[in-house]
Amino acid sequence: MSKDRIERETFIAASVERVWAVITEPGHVGAWFGSGEPAEIDLRPGGIMRLDHGQYGIFPTLIVAVEAPRYFAYRWASAFPGEVANEGNSTLVEFFLEPDGAGTRLRLVESGFAGLRIPPEREDTAGFDSHDEGWRGIVEELRQYAEK
């Protein structure tokens, strides 16, 4: 198994527009990912989204793509809290949304671990295995939040 790419898929009993809002609007993002405080989001390619991941730090992610309401992508330097993400220090996180009956099929992909140099002291929280496990819970939290 390659340790470069994580994929999670789930069905969400909510419209694509609702799920899009949940993954891109400050109050929603802060509720299902992080400390509960609204995230700071400059929602445009090249904009910054600050994710407060509690004890792990605050991460200024770099927004790569905003194609409402179907595709959202950003770079996340999870091994380097406080540093703006760039191609050399981050993974690429992508959200794909597709209508599916009365709901939305959400696919999340995080890739780029193989080429990433993670400091040994951050491997437990920023490495592939940590994120592989972490996204299981976060995608479920996102689903439950969107369905409220």
Side-chain angles (χ1 to χ4, degrees):
M1 175 176 111
S2 168
K3 289 199 169 194
D4 184 61
R5 180 182 181 94
I6 296 165
E7 291 193 42
R8 296 284 174 267
E9 188 170 308
T10 192
F11 174 80
I12 300 174
S15 70
V16 168
E17 292 76 18
R18 164 72 176 160
V19 178
W20 178 261
V22 165
I23 65 171
T24 61
E25 293 180 4
H28 295 308
V29 173
W32 62 267
F33 186 99
S35 68
E37 295 296 317
E40 295 175 33
I41 302 175
D42 179 5
L43 191 61
R44 63 180 176 83
I48 299 294
M49 175 172 63
R50 294 190 192 289
L51 295 177
D52 184 344
H53 202 26
Q55 67 183 8
Y56 305 111
I58 295 176
F59 300 91
T61 68
L62 178 66
I63 297 173
V64 174
V66 180
E67 299 171 15
R70 301 293 176 97
Y71 178 69
F72 179 53
Y74 59 84
R75 292 201 151 280
W76 180 17
S78 65
F80 306 97
E83 287 187 30
V84 175
N86 61 57
E87 287 194 28
N89 70 357
S90 66
T91 54
L92 179 65
V93 177
E94 301 172 282
F95 293 86
F96 299 87
L97 286 71
E98 290 295 330
D100 185 354
T104 302
R105 178 71 44 193
L106 169 75
R107 185 166 59 99
L108 171 126
V109 176
E110 184 177 12
S111 60
F113 288 96
L116 193 59
R117 291 191 175 196
I118 300 172
E121 69 274 10
R122 298 288 301 182
E123 186 66 39
D124 287 348
T125 60
F128 177 90
D129 291 335
S130 169
H131 284 224
D132 188 42
E133 182 61 31
W135 280 119
R136 290 179 204 282
I138 291 173
V139 167
E140 178 60 16
E141 286 180 38
L142 189 160
R143 183 191 66 74
Q144 289 177 10
Y145 180 86
E147 290 180 349
K148 287 182 187 175

